[in-house]
Amino acid sequence: MQFDDATPGRLVLRDGETVLAEYVYEPSDAQLESPRPYALLSTRAGAAVTAYRPDDHVWHKGLSLALPNVGPHNFWGGPTYVDGEGYVQLPNNGAQVHRGFDASDTPVADEVAQLARVDERVDWVTEAGDTLLTEARTLTARPIDDTTWALTWSSRLTNVSAESLSFGSPTSRGRADAGYAGIFWRGPSSFTGGDILGPGGDVGDAARGTESPWLAFVSPDRASGVVMMDAGPHPSRWFARSADYAGLCPAPFFYDETVVEPGGSLRLGAVILVGGADAASHVATVGANLVATVRSDPPPPADIPPASTEPEASA
């Protein structure tokens, strides 16, 4: 497996002749959609397992790191939930701006281990043009067997503003059962109504708001499956949905907000297995090792400029 950087603004993960993923690091989405890098994923058989700009939520972008509440700012896209008012479209949609890859500006490939790795630097910029966060992000991809492959995602966010930042969700701000925030997978429309599985078996939409080390989503036709494992430093609640659309997200701010002081950092991580209906069977054999790898190998620290109270020029 290796990343091909021949296409401007995106990396293409190739498995021989098959495209497993397209990581779009310079999106052209509207500001209202909180532009951010995202990955579109497929199985080793070539079946798509992510959606891009679905009609019900055009700000859903395959697999991405999306946070609806960073202080008063929205890095999820679309309207913001305001307690007592519902969802309101505010001038607060921030963007994640790609600043570069590792020191050589070249994605890394390990031919012996069949491991492809990318280290990226991202700035989180408000709609007004102020940089709130710098992020060091690491993505890796590797084969598991003939039908399954694994993607790992590790992020370290550093508060470079002069203010404390609270990380939350619509539920932490007053809306019941809507704790989405984090590394979010949105499945294609063909996955709607599929099975959500956990360590104890079929859990369905009832998994939303509960703790679990992993959840799996199997398409209704049983042709494809996706497993997400929480690889953050602390156990998370889950945002999970099947009846309305296919979505999974280890959501560390589901009920409670986390405050990061100026200069402080926050880590998030996940492991994603992409395969067939039996993808969850690999959790027992490789899952723990992949999660441990993410937790023990955080991305390198992002550059931290001095905090300033002076506004930056509008992006």
Side-chain angles (χ1 to χ4, degrees), residues 173-184:
R173 300 288 173 96
R175 185 193 174 200
D177 210 27
Y180 53 81
I183 301 169
F184 177 67

Side-chain angles (χ1 to χ4, degrees), residues 202-230:
D202 192 346
V203 290
D205 283 16
R208 191 158 58 247
T210 67
E211 287 188 15
S212 179
W214 61 269
L215 290 178
F217 201 110
V218 179
S219 62
D221 64 4
R222 312 291 297 173
S224 304
V226 171
V227 181
M228 287 196 76
M229 289 173 277
D230 181 14

